[in-house]
Amino acid sequence: MEKPRCAGFRFSGIAAGIKKKGGKDLGLIVSEVPASVAGVFTRNRIQAAPVLLDRHRIRTGRCQAVIVNSGNANCCTGDAGLRDAEAMCRRAAEALGISEELVCVASTGVIGQPMPIETVLAAVPELAGALSSEGLDDFAEAIMTTDLVPKVVTVQGEIDETPYTVTGVAKGSGMIRPDMATMLCFVVTDLSVPPKILQESLVAGVDRSFNRITVDGDTSTNDTVLLMAGGRSGATIETPEALAAFQRHLDQVLTGLARMVVKDGEGATKLVDISVVGAASEGDARQVADTVAHSNLVKTALFGEDANWGRIIAAAGRSGVPVVPDAIDIRFDDVTMCRNGMSCGPEAESAATAVLKKNEYRITIDLHMGPASASVLTCDFSIDYVKINADYRS
Amino acid sequence: MEKPRCAGFRFSGIAAGIKKKGGKDLGLIVSEVPASVAGVFTRNRIQAAPVLLDRHRIRTGRCQAVIVNSGNANCCTGDAGLRDAEAMCRRAAEALGISEELVCVASTGVIGQPMPIETVLAAVPELAGALSSEGLDDFAEAIMTTDLVPKVVTVQGEIDETPYTVTGVAKGSGMIRPDMATMLCFVVTDLSVPPKILQESLVAGVDRSFNRITVDGDTSTNDTVLLMAGGRSGATIETPEALAAFQRHLDQVLTGLARMVVKDGEGATKLVDISVVGAASEGDARQVADTVAHSNLVKTALFGEDANWGRIIAAAGRSGVPVVPDAIDIRFDDVTMCRNGMSCGPEAESAATAVLKKNEYRITIDLHMGPASASVLTCDFSIDYVKINADYRS
């Protein structure tokens, strides 16, 4: 497979010695010119030092490089943590010969431990030396924590016959819940897009992608999505049609990455789309979908390949939406298992069980209360999730 | 140990053949006279047939018997389910020679499967024949589902030198979350208490006990707490002091049972009190305690005996309460692990890890924002929780 590229951007990822278990843990993205930048960050009240710094830096609308480490979240680390985040930017700026104000930073890993900052800083020259237009896979690997696979999505479009690229890279795979920007995600494009439009596009795209997924219902302190537009393709957005096309391509990248994050959720063996239809409002639909998607009893039943629709209807019933029990239908893909709030019997159950043996499927909950709908992507809840998270720091 | 008794009440529990795996699954409580009754029920919008029936019946303030089955929840069973619930009351009334309006019913088990009603009804004469003042342990066993141990708490008090007894029995142990009456619980007393006072006492007691616990964050469709006061002791409540004493004894029974439910939570190996202090309001304190107590990442770390306070502070941060990161202290029993939002270092961590090896301990989160506090009892989240719930219906 051809390595993803985006004109005007170079990437690198190396093993700096931050992760106890070894492996790549320090990455860098650089644009050849200062790019427009947009960012969406965690809504958790506890925010890591890099999040606090980036929120401030992207206000200028300009960014030329992002340095990212895994293995330590640099969160709950006080003033020292802020100084460490700034030092990472400064050292990267020195190595690249650019202003440190043009560098953002992100960290992911354990919360509450001091950054091994000397180790990180010492590795920056090697990191800068490794930059390459084909280095995205190394970068993707360097930002992984409990992820099993790197996550990269590239989409190409064109404006007035000038081709452009949108490329995104993300990492999960725990502390993932919707209604916020979630995990780390970096998207670059060689389009030229002003910062204000870039920010609007990113917020809209995140709301349709990362805000519609859950792995375990916990929200990270380090969630960051950064989008950089370098303009190297020569294509610019000058019409509503071009903007719509860009938004569509950006959405493809974000939803593609969001899907990969859930699929690679800690311990996950199933990717399940929880679709609520027939709701009185989109808000109601999301609330029911969220509650079902987060239910531990639903998620363990998915792991057990058990068409236990009783747990699904019970979760809908506690969602806070005034659902009408006798009106609810529940389908596994095309198999209706529950109609008017009651079981469709053993034959339907056999057919539904066959659906549950698949790796990916949809559960549709029809409330029969109105025209609105919403969906949330979730995964199952496995024995491995518990193992991974009982042992995470050891 | 002497079997718990409460003057004027008899109990029984037998194997009627409802549970696939065999064992006791049908229970009966009978008062020798119509008792005052109070009830608190699930706030889930999906409510089982017995819940719908009992809500109606206890409006009279009188109840003489409760018939309870495990193995089938009689929920999402439509009109047939309501007829089955009524039939269970009617058959019990016939066997006891009392009015069917004086009989309540409760069910627990799988949702959405028809009650094996003929099996149940056929067993009622045997059930009535087995009634005994010493039968509470049989009853306690008959209402168990995934519970590993029966749960009975008895407290004795006296009013004007007349002794009285408050005895409660409960079952868990999944689909347990606070903010509602939760699971099945039956409390009897030989005190004489008018229904209105009984209801107020029960609501207050449940709010301080079952509404402060969680196992897995899911709310059952069948949650029922019934309290019957038969008056056989001869003691009556005629002063505020006597009422306060009764409330205290009732609270002891309810909190004792609530604690047993969490301790026997599905797969649980730890009983952990999440205490939030220094909050601006009790509502804030409960919101933070609830969020931490429900966090899968916190609960898996408890299972792993890992003093991962980063997950605790991250959960507090996403609770919706505007916590101040730099003000937060976190203690494991008396060991301060996090002060002013930062780690207290490796020595504190070693001491905290020793606390986490215990079976029961307290985690205190001091927000330093005000005078209010609240606590929630939770358990850890183990591999066995997933195993139990992946396989529950098979």
Side-chain angles (χ1 to χ4, degrees), chain A residues 44-46 76 175 218 295-297 300 306 311 313-314 317-318 323 341 349 389 392-393, chain B residues 44-46 76 175 218 295-297 300 306 311 313-314 317-318 323 341 349 389 392-393:
Chain A
N44 197 314
R45 292 283 298 189
I46 312 292
C76 296
M175 261 198 196
D218 266 300
S295 161
N296 287 333
L297 285 170
T300 47
D306 179 5
R311 291 183 182 172
I313 201 169
R318 72 168 166 92
V323 299
E349 173 127 8
N389 283 297
Y392 181 56
R393 298 199 315 167
Chain B
N44 197 313
R45 291 283 299 190
I46 312 292
C76 296
M175 260 197 197
D218 266 299
S295 162
N296 287 333
L297 284 171
T300 48
D306 178 5
R311 292 182 181 171
I313 200 170
R318 72 169 166 91
V323 299
E349 172 127 8
N389 283 298
Y392 181 55
R393 298 199 314 168

mmCIF file of all heavy atoms in Angstrom, chain A residues 44-46 76 175 218 295-297 300 306 311 313-314 317-318 323 341 349 389 392-393, chain B residues 44-46 76 175 218 295-297 300 306 311 313-314 317-318 323 341 349 389 392-393:
data_model
loop_
_atom_site.group_PDB
_atom_site.id
_atom_site.type_symbol
_atom_site.label_atom_id
_atom_site.label_comp_id
_atom_site.label_asym_id
_atom_site.label_seq_id
_atom_site.Cartn_x
_atom_site.Cartn_y
_atom_site.Cartn_z
ATOM 1 N N ASN A 44 -13.254 17.845 29.981
ATOM 2 C CA ASN A 44 -12.963 17.472 31.367
ATOM 3 C C ASN A 44 -12.390 18.692 32.091
ATOM 4 O O ASN A 44 -11.601 19.439 31.528
ATOM 5 C CB ASN A 44 -11.940 16.322 31.381
ATOM 6 C CG ASN A 44 -11.885 15.610 32.718
ATOM 7 O OD1 ASN A 44 -11.835 16.248 33.774
ATOM 8 N ND2 ASN A 44 -11.915 14.300 32.690
ATOM 9 N N ARG A 45 -12.795 18.896 33.357
ATOM 10 C CA ARG A 45 -12.269 20.036 34.122
ATOM 11 C C ARG A 45 -10.794 19.841 34.452
ATOM 12 O O ARG A 45 -10.082 20.791 34.732
ATOM 13 C CB ARG A 45 -13.043 20.206 35.447
ATOM 14 C CG ARG A 45 -14.476 20.636 35.287
ATOM 15 C CD ARG A 45 -14.616 22.108 34.982
ATOM 16 N NE ARG A 45 -14.100 22.945 36.054
ATOM 17 C CZ ARG A 45 -14.266 24.263 36.101
ATOM 18 N NH1 ARG A 45 -14.916 24.886 35.136
ATOM 19 N NH2 ARG A 45 -13.771 24.960 37.085
ATOM 20 N N ILE A 46 -10.368 18.594 34.522
ATOM 21 C CA ILE A 46 -8.957 18.298 34.751
ATOM 22 C C ILE A 46 -8.305 18.231 33.365
ATOM 23 O O ILE A 46 -8.641 17.359 32.570
ATOM 24 C CB ILE A 46 -8.779 16.939 35.463
ATOM 25 C CG1 ILE A 46 -9.708 16.815 36.677
ATOM 26 C CG2 ILE A 46 -7.316 16.712 35.833
ATOM 27 C CD1 ILE A 46 -9.394 17.724 37.815
ATOM 28 N N CYS A 76 -1.939 16.603 35.795
ATOM 29 C CA CYS A 76 -1.826 16.657 37.248
ATOM 30 C C CYS A 76 -0.353 16.733 37.631
ATOM 31 O O CYS A 76 0.113 16.041 38.557
ATOM 32 C CB CYS A 76 -2.511 15.469 37.921
ATOM 33 S SG CYS A 76 -4.277 15.440 37.640
ATOM 34 N N MET A 175 -10.545 5.382 28.070
ATOM 35 C CA MET A 175 -10.993 6.732 28.452
ATOM 36 C C MET A 175 -11.661 7.426 27.279
ATOM 37 O O MET A 175 -11.374 8.581 26.959
ATOM 38 C CB MET A 175 -9.841 7.595 28.958
ATOM 39 C CG MET A 175 -9.768 7.663 30.486
ATOM 40 S SD MET A 175 -8.801 9.021 31.127
ATOM 41 C CE MET A 175 -8.567 8.483 32.827
ATOM 42 N N ASP A 218 -15.448 6.852 30.002
ATOM 43 C CA ASP A 218 -14.611 7.805 30.716
ATOM 44 C C ASP A 218 -14.012 8.807 29.733
ATOM 45 O O ASP A 218 -13.704 8.457 28.595
ATOM 46 C CB ASP A 218 -13.508 7.090 31.509
ATOM 47 C CG ASP A 218 -13.939 6.841 32.948
ATOM 48 O OD1 ASP A 218 -14.221 7.823 33.652
ATOM 49 O OD2 ASP A 218 -14.026 5.673 33.336
ATOM 50 N N SER A 295 -24.120 1.158 28.559
ATOM 51 C CA SER A 295 -24.552 0.195 29.577
ATOM 52 C C SER A 295 -23.597 -0.998 29.656
ATOM 53 O O SER A 295 -23.391 -1.726 28.683
ATOM 54 C CB SER A 295 -25.960 -0.304 29.248
ATOM 55 O OG SER A 295 -26.205 -1.510 29.947
ATOM 56 N N ASN A 296 -23.044 -1.215 30.839
ATOM 57 C CA ASN A 296 -22.151 -2.359 31.018
ATOM 58 C C ASN A 296 -22.878 -3.675 30.805
ATOM 59 O O ASN A 296 -22.299 -4.634 30.317
ATOM 60 C CB ASN A 296 -21.556 -2.350 32.425
ATOM 61 C CG ASN A 296 -20.511 -1.264 32.586
ATOM 62 O OD1 ASN A 296 -19.880 -0.874 31.610
ATOM 63 N ND2 ASN A 296 -20.343 -0.787 33.793
ATOM 64 N N LEU A 297 -24.161 -3.706 31.191
ATOM 65 C CA LEU A 297 -24.901 -4.953 31.019
ATOM 66 C C LEU A 297 -25.165 -5.226 29.548
ATOM 67 O O LEU A 297 -25.112 -6.370 29.098
ATOM 68 C CB LEU A 297 -26.214 -4.915 31.812
ATOM 69 C CG LEU A 297 -26.012 -5.099 33.320
ATOM 70 C CD1 LEU A 297 -27.310 -4.818 34.070
ATOM 71 C CD2 LEU A 297 -25.533 -6.510 33.629
ATOM 72 N N THR A 300 -21.606 -6.234 28.025
ATOM 73 C CA THR A 300 -21.155 -7.588 28.346
ATOM 74 C C THR A 300 -22.001 -8.622 27.595
ATOM 75 O O THR A 300 -21.488 -9.667 27.190
ATOM 76 C CB THR A 300 -21.200 -7.874 29.865
ATOM 77 O OG1 THR A 300 -22.455 -7.440 30.388
ATOM 78 C CG2 THR A 300 -20.094 -7.134 30.593
ATOM 79 N N ASP A 306 -25.097 -12.562 23.142
ATOM 80 C CA ASP A 306 -26.409 -12.883 23.693
ATOM 81 C C ASP A 306 -27.394 -11.778 23.294
ATOM 82 O O ASP A 306 -27.200 -10.617 23.651
ATOM 83 C CB ASP A 306 -26.276 -12.964 25.224
ATOM 84 C CG ASP A 306 -27.604 -13.267 25.906
ATOM 85 O OD1 ASP A 306 -28.605 -13.501 25.201
ATOM 86 O OD2 ASP A 306 -27.631 -13.262 27.152
ATOM 87 N N ARG A 311 -32.024 -6.097 28.375
ATOM 88 C CA ARG A 311 -31.086 -5.119 28.924
ATOM 89 C C ARG A 311 -31.086 -3.835 28.092
ATOM 90 O O ARG A 311 -30.844 -2.750 28.619
ATOM 91 C CB ARG A 311 -29.674 -5.712 28.940
ATOM 92 C CG ARG A 311 -29.527 -6.837 29.959
ATOM 93 C CD ARG A 311 -28.093 -7.332 29.989
ATOM 94 N NE ARG A 311 -27.954 -8.433 30.939
ATOM 95 C CZ ARG A 311 -26.865 -9.163 31.069
ATOM 96 N NH1 ARG A 311 -25.810 -8.921 30.280
ATOM 97 N NH2 ARG A 311 -26.811 -10.136 31.951
ATOM 98 N N ILE A 313 -33.726 -2.577 26.382
ATOM 99 C CA ILE A 313 -34.949 -1.814 26.679
ATOM 100 C C ILE A 313 -34.867 -1.241 28.105
ATOM 101 O O ILE A 313 -35.340 -0.124 28.365
ATOM 102 C CB ILE A 313 -36.214 -2.679 26.436
ATOM 103 C CG1 ILE A 313 -37.443 -1.789 26.235
ATOM 104 C CG2 ILE A 313 -36.447 -3.682 27.542
ATOM 105 C CD1 ILE A 313 -38.671 -2.535 25.732
ATOM 106 N N ALA A 314 -34.232 -1.974 29.016
ATOM 107 C CA ALA A 314 -34.072 -1.455 30.385
ATOM 108 C C ALA A 314 -33.175 -0.225 30.395
ATOM 109 O O ALA A 314 -33.433 0.744 31.125
ATOM 110 C CB ALA A 314 -33.507 -2.535 31.305
ATOM 111 N N GLY A 317 -35.033 2.640 29.119
ATOM 112 C CA GLY A 317 -36.003 3.070 30.122
ATOM 113 C C GLY A 317 -35.412 3.930 31.212
ATOM 114 O O GLY A 317 -36.109 4.712 31.846
ATOM 115 N N ARG A 318 -34.110 3.799 31.460
ATOM 116 C CA ARG A 318 -33.485 4.626 32.496
ATOM 117 C C ARG A 318 -32.750 5.822 31.900
ATOM 118 O O ARG A 318 -32.013 6.512 32.605
ATOM 119 C CB ARG A 318 -32.510 3.796 33.339
ATOM 120 C CG ARG A 318 -31.221 3.403 32.655
ATOM 121 C CD ARG A 318 -30.194 2.851 33.625
ATOM 122 N NE ARG A 318 -29.120 2.194 32.940
ATOM 123 C CZ ARG A 318 -27.975 2.800 32.562
ATOM 124 N NH1 ARG A 318 -27.784 4.082 32.781
ATOM 125 N NH2 ARG A 318 -27.043 2.111 31.937
ATOM 126 N N VAL A 323 -39.704 7.374 27.371
ATOM 127 C CA VAL A 323 -40.073 6.378 26.363
ATOM 128 C C VAL A 323 -41.379 5.679 26.756
ATOM 129 O O VAL A 323 -41.718 5.602 27.932
ATOM 130 C CB VAL A 323 -38.962 5.322 26.176
ATOM 131 C CG1 VAL A 323 -37.668 5.984 25.713
ATOM 132 C CG2 VAL A 323 -38.714 4.534 27.465
ATOM 133 N N GLY A 341 -42.586 -3.645 22.608
ATOM 134 C CA GLY A 341 -42.067 -3.883 23.953
ATOM 135 C C GLY A 341 -42.065 -5.321 24.394
ATOM 136 O O GLY A 341 -41.810 -5.608 25.563
ATOM 137 N N GLU A 349 -35.236 -15.000 18.056
ATOM 138 C CA GLU A 349 -34.041 -15.057 18.886
ATOM 139 C C GLU A 349 -32.908 -15.809 18.198
ATOM 140 O O GLU A 349 -31.741 -15.388 18.248
ATOM 141 C CB GLU A 349 -34.372 -15.694 20.243
ATOM 142 C CG GLU A 349 -33.151 -15.936 21.088
ATOM 143 C CD GLU A 349 -33.258 -15.336 22.486
ATOM 144 O OE1 GLU A 349 -34.345 -14.863 22.866
ATOM 145 O OE2 GLU A 349 -32.232 -15.345 23.187
ATOM 146 N N ASN A 389 -7.130 -2.964 32.020
ATOM 147 C CA ASN A 389 -7.246 -1.814 32.896
ATOM 148 C C ASN A 389 -6.949 -2.104 34.358
ATOM 149 O O ASN A 389 -6.707 -1.183 35.137
ATOM 150 C CB ASN A 389 -8.611 -1.160 32.719
ATOM 151 C CG ASN A 389 -8.614 -0.362 31.444
ATOM 152 O OD1 ASN A 389 -7.858 0.584 31.315
ATOM 153 N ND2 ASN A 389 -9.422 -0.779 30.480
ATOM 154 N N TYR A 392 -2.941 -1.678 34.030
ATOM 155 C CA TYR A 392 -2.415 -0.650 33.133
ATOM 156 C C TYR A 392 -1.108 -0.019 33.585
ATOM 157 O O TYR A 392 -0.190 0.149 32.800
ATOM 158 C CB TYR A 392 -3.481 0.436 32.919
ATOM 159 C CG TYR A 392 -3.048 1.528 31.990
ATOM 160 C CD1 TYR A 392 -2.605 1.242 30.698
ATOM 161 C CD2 TYR A 392 -3.074 2.852 32.389
ATOM 162 C CE1 TYR A 392 -2.216 2.242 29.830
ATOM 163 C CE2 TYR A 392 -2.683 3.862 31.523
ATOM 164 C CZ TYR A 392 -2.252 3.545 30.250
ATOM 165 O OH TYR A 392 -1.866 4.545 29.404
ATOM 166 N N ARG A 393 -1.010 0.339 34.883
ATOM 167 C CA ARG A 393 0.186 1.056 35.304
ATOM 168 C C ARG A 393 1.339 0.141 35.679
ATOM 169 O O ARG A 393 2.461 0.602 35.865
ATOM 170 C CB ARG A 393 -0.135 1.973 36.492
ATOM 171 C CG ARG A 393 -1.157 3.046 36.176
ATOM 172 C CD ARG A 393 -1.075 4.149 37.202
ATOM 173 N NE ARG A 393 -0.993 3.583 38.534
ATOM 174 C CZ ARG A 393 -0.669 4.289 39.616
ATOM 175 N NH1 ARG A 393 -0.395 5.580 39.505
ATOM 176 N NH2 ARG A 393 -0.638 3.724 40.793
ATOM 177 N N ASN B 44 -37.138 3.511 36.539
ATOM 178 C CA ASN B 44 -36.993 3.150 35.135
ATOM 179 C C ASN B 44 -38.366 3.262 34.460
ATOM 180 O O ASN B 44 -39.384 2.909 35.053
ATOM 181 C CB ASN B 44 -36.475 1.697 35.028
ATOM 182 C CG ASN B 44 -35.923 1.385 33.644
ATOM 183 O OD1 ASN B 44 -36.540 1.687 32.630
ATOM 184 N ND2 ASN B 44 -34.749 0.780 33.613
ATOM 185 N N ARG B 45 -38.390 3.786 33.212
ATOM 186 C CA ARG B 45 -39.666 3.916 32.489
ATOM 187 C C ARG B 45 -40.207 2.547 32.101
ATOM 188 O O ARG B 45 -41.398 2.392 31.852
ATOM 189 C CB ARG B 45 -39.471 4.747 31.212
ATOM 190 C CG ARG B 45 -39.169 6.204 31.449
ATOM 191 C CD ARG B 45 -40.374 7.018 31.834
ATOM 192 N NE ARG B 45 -41.392 7.004 30.809
ATOM 193 C CZ ARG B 45 -42.455 7.791 30.823
ATOM 194 N NH1 ARG B 45 -42.640 8.652 31.808
ATOM 195 N NH2 ARG B 45 -43.351 7.723 29.875
ATOM 196 N N ILE B 46 -39.308 1.589 31.975
ATOM 197 C CA ILE B 46 -39.745 0.212 31.683
ATOM 198 C C ILE B 46 -39.955 -0.459 33.035
ATOM 199 O O ILE B 46 -39.018 -0.625 33.797
ATOM 200 C CB ILE B 46 -38.663 -0.561 30.897
ATOM 201 C CG1 ILE B 46 -38.133 0.259 29.716
ATOM 202 C CG2 ILE B 46 -39.175 -1.929 30.473
ATOM 203 C CD1 ILE B 46 -39.103 0.491 28.600
ATOM 204 N N CYS B 76 -41.731 -6.698 30.354
ATOM 205 C CA CYS B 76 -41.876 -6.689 28.891
ATOM 206 C C CYS B 76 -42.657 -7.920 28.474
ATOM 207 O O CYS B 76 -42.303 -8.616 27.514
ATOM 208 C CB CYS B 76 -40.531 -6.626 28.182
ATOM 209 S SG CYS B 76 -39.614 -5.122 28.502
ATOM 210 N N MET B 175 -27.486 -4.979 37.741
ATOM 211 C CA MET B 175 -28.455 -3.915 37.428
ATOM 212 C C MET B 175 -28.709 -3.056 38.655
ATOM 213 O O MET B 175 -29.852 -2.738 39.010
ATOM 214 C CB MET B 175 -29.794 -4.487 36.919
ATOM 215 C CG MET B 175 -29.928 -4.422 35.402
ATOM 216 S SD MET B 175 -31.589 -4.603 34.806
ATOM 217 C CE MET B 175 -31.291 -4.983 33.082
ATOM 218 N N ASP B 218 -26.445 0.120 36.033
ATOM 219 C CA ASP B 218 -27.707 -0.112 35.342
ATOM 220 C C ASP B 218 -28.847 -0.206 36.348
ATOM 221 O O ASP B 218 -28.661 -0.704 37.450
ATOM 222 C CB ASP B 218 -27.637 -1.381 34.474
ATOM 223 C CG ASP B 218 -27.259 -1.060 33.042
ATOM 224 O OD1 ASP B 218 -28.023 -0.315 32.397
ATOM 225 O OD2 ASP B 218 -26.210 -1.511 32.576
ATOM 226 N N SER B 295 -17.254 4.893 37.445
ATOM 227 C CA SER B 295 -16.235 4.866 36.391
ATOM 228 C C SER B 295 -15.660 3.467 36.213
ATOM 229 O O SER B 295 -15.098 2.877 37.132
ATOM 230 C CB SER B 295 -15.104 5.837 36.736
ATOM 231 O OG SER B 295 -13.951 5.510 35.972
ATOM 232 N N ASN B 296 -15.763 2.944 35.002
ATOM 233 C CA ASN B 296 -15.203 1.619 34.738
ATOM 234 C C ASN B 296 -13.689 1.616 34.900
ATOM 235 O O ASN B 296 -13.114 0.606 35.313
ATOM 236 C CB ASN B 296 -15.554 1.178 33.316
ATOM 237 C CG ASN B 296 -17.017 0.792 33.201
ATOM 238 O OD1 ASN B 296 -17.625 0.374 34.172
ATOM 239 N ND2 ASN B 296 -17.566 0.944 32.024
ATOM 240 N N LEU B 297 -13.057 2.728 34.560
ATOM 241 C CA LEU B 297 -11.593 2.773 34.683
ATOM 242 C C LEU B 297 -11.178 2.789 36.148
ATOM 243 O O LEU B 297 -10.192 2.158 36.531
ATOM 244 C CB LEU B 297 -11.028 3.986 33.936
ATOM 245 C CG LEU B 297 -11.000 3.805 32.416
ATOM 246 C CD1 LEU B 297 -10.633 5.107 31.726
ATOM 247 C CD2 LEU B 297 -10.015 2.711 32.013
ATOM 248 N N THR B 300 -11.981 -0.888 37.491
ATOM 249 C CA THR B 300 -11.014 -1.918 37.089
ATOM 250 C C THR B 300 -9.682 -1.714 37.807
ATOM 251 O O THR B 300 -9.000 -2.686 38.143
ATOM 252 C CB THR B 300 -10.793 -1.930 35.562
ATOM 253 O OG1 THR B 300 -10.572 -0.598 35.100
ATOM 254 C CG2 THR B 300 -11.996 -2.499 34.844
ATOM 255 N N ASP B 306 -4.584 -1.130 42.165
ATOM 256 C CA ASP B 306 -3.688 -0.103 41.630
ATOM 257 C C ASP B 306 -4.176 1.263 42.113
ATOM 258 O O ASP B 306 -5.299 1.666 41.823
ATOM 259 C CB ASP B 306 -3.728 -0.179 40.093
ATOM 260 C CG ASP B 306 -2.857 0.872 39.429
ATOM 261 O OD1 ASP B 306 -2.150 1.600 40.153
ATOM 262 O OD2 ASP B 306 -2.881 0.956 38.187
ATOM 263 N N ARG B 311 -7.064 8.320 37.475
ATOM 264 C CA ARG B 311 -8.391 7.999 36.957
ATOM 265 C C ARG B 311 -9.487 8.582 37.840
ATOM 266 O O ARG B 311 -10.570 8.920 37.378
ATOM 267 C CB ARG B 311 -8.558 6.483 36.853
ATOM 268 C CG ARG B 311 -7.677 5.871 35.789
ATOM 269 C CD ARG B 311 -7.923 4.372 35.688
ATOM 270 N NE ARG B 311 -7.062 3.781 34.679
ATOM 271 C CZ ARG B 311 -6.938 2.467 34.500
ATOM 272 N NH1 ARG B 311 -7.619 1.633 35.268
ATOM 273 N NH2 ARG B 311 -6.142 1.999 33.567
ATOM 274 N N ILE B 313 -9.267 11.389 39.710
ATOM 275 C CA ILE B 313 -9.362 12.838 39.502
ATOM 276 C C ILE B 313 -9.941 13.134 38.109
ATOM 277 O O ILE B 313 -10.701 14.092 37.926
ATOM 278 C CB ILE B 313 -7.991 13.520 39.743
ATOM 279 C CG1 ILE B 313 -8.166 15.012 40.022
ATOM 280 C CG2 ILE B 313 -7.023 13.306 38.609
ATOM 281 C CD1 ILE B 313 -6.881 15.694 40.517
ATOM 282 N N ALA B 314 -9.632 12.265 37.139
ATOM 283 C CA ALA B 314 -10.196 12.449 35.792
ATOM 284 C C ALA B 314 -11.713 12.255 35.813
ATOM 285 O O ALA B 314 -12.455 12.988 35.147
ATOM 286 C CB ALA B 314 -9.548 11.489 34.803
ATOM 287 N N GLY B 317 -13.276 15.207 37.312
ATOM 288 C CA GLY B 317 -13.216 16.307 36.354
ATOM 289 C C GLY B 317 -14.293 16.264 35.299
ATOM 290 O O GLY B 317 -14.670 17.291 34.745
ATOM 291 N N ARG B 318 -14.818 15.074 35.006
ATOM 292 C CA ARG B 318 -15.874 14.991 33.995
ATOM 293 C C ARG B 318 -17.261 14.898 34.612
ATOM 294 O O ARG B 318 -18.235 14.635 33.929
ATOM 295 C CB ARG B 318 -15.639 13.789 33.075
ATOM 296 C CG ARG B 318 -15.908 12.442 33.707
ATOM 297 C CD ARG B 318 -15.925 11.327 32.674
ATOM 298 N NE ARG B 318 -15.845 10.024 33.288
ATOM 299 C CZ ARG B 318 -16.915 9.295 33.651
ATOM 300 N NH1 ARG B 318 -18.134 9.747 33.463
ATOM 301 N NH2 ARG B 318 -16.748 8.114 34.212
ATOM 302 N N VAL B 323 -15.108 21.464 39.435
ATOM 303 C CA VAL B 323 -14.026 21.258 40.412
ATOM 304 C C VAL B 323 -12.800 22.083 40.024
ATOM 305 O O VAL B 323 -12.614 22.417 38.862
ATOM 306 C CB VAL B 323 -13.642 19.762 40.502
ATOM 307 C CG1 VAL B 323 -14.823 18.932 40.950
ATOM 308 C CG2 VAL B 323 -13.109 19.245 39.169
ATOM 309 N N GLY B 341 -3.923 18.433 43.712
ATOM 310 C CA GLY B 341 -4.004 17.941 42.332
ATOM 311 C C GLY B 341 -2.754 17.272 41.820
ATOM 312 O O GLY B 341 -2.664 16.975 40.629
ATOM 313 N N GLU B 349 2.572 6.298 47.425
ATOM 314 C CA GLU B 349 2.016 5.266 46.539
ATOM 315 C C GLU B 349 2.163 3.874 47.153
ATOM 316 O O GLU B 349 1.239 3.070 47.089
ATOM 317 C CB GLU B 349 2.698 5.341 45.167
ATOM 318 C CG GLU B 349 2.319 4.198 44.258
ATOM 319 C CD GLU B 349 1.800 4.648 42.906
ATOM 320 O OE1 GLU B 349 1.871 5.854 42.594
ATOM 321 O OE2 GLU B 349 1.303 3.777 42.173
ATOM 322 N N ASN B 389 -21.958 -11.759 33.226
ATOM 323 C CA ASN B 389 -22.944 -11.059 32.403
ATOM 324 C C ASN B 389 -22.875 -11.380 30.926
ATOM 325 O O ASN B 389 -23.801 -11.088 30.181
ATOM 326 C CB ASN B 389 -22.846 -9.565 32.658
ATOM 327 C CG ASN B 389 -23.503 -9.239 33.977
ATOM 328 O OD1 ASN B 389 -24.695 -9.463 34.123
ATOM 329 N ND2 ASN B 389 -22.718 -8.786 34.944
ATOM 330 N N TYR B 392 -25.161 -14.689 31.159
ATOM 331 C CA TYR B 392 -26.272 -14.699 32.103
ATOM 332 C C TYR B 392 -27.474 -15.529 31.648
ATOM 333 O O TYR B 392 -28.036 -16.297 32.421
ATOM 334 C CB TYR B 392 -26.725 -13.264 32.387
ATOM 335 C CG TYR B 392 -27.852 -13.169 33.374
ATOM 336 C CD1 TYR B 392 -27.755 -13.753 34.627
ATOM 337 C CD2 TYR B 392 -29.025 -12.498 33.054
ATOM 338 C CE1 TYR B 392 -28.784 -13.664 35.537
ATOM 339 C CE2 TYR B 392 -30.062 -12.401 33.956
ATOM 340 C CZ TYR B 392 -29.944 -12.987 35.193
ATOM 341 O OH TYR B 392 -30.968 -12.895 36.087
ATOM 342 N N ARG B 393 -27.874 -15.373 30.372
ATOM 343 C CA ARG B 393 -29.097 -16.058 29.957
ATOM 344 C C ARG B 393 -28.861 -17.483 29.500
ATOM 345 O O ARG B 393 -29.821 -18.237 29.312
ATOM 346 C CB ARG B 393 -29.777 -15.283 28.826
ATOM 347 C CG ARG B 393 -30.217 -13.886 29.240
ATOM 348 C CD ARG B 393 -31.268 -13.364 28.280
ATOM 349 N NE ARG B 393 -30.857 -13.616 26.901
ATOM 350 C CZ ARG B 393 -31.645 -13.491 25.857
ATOM 351 N NH1 ARG B 393 -32.899 -13.107 26.021
ATOM 352 N NH2 ARG B 393 -31.218 -13.726 24.639
#
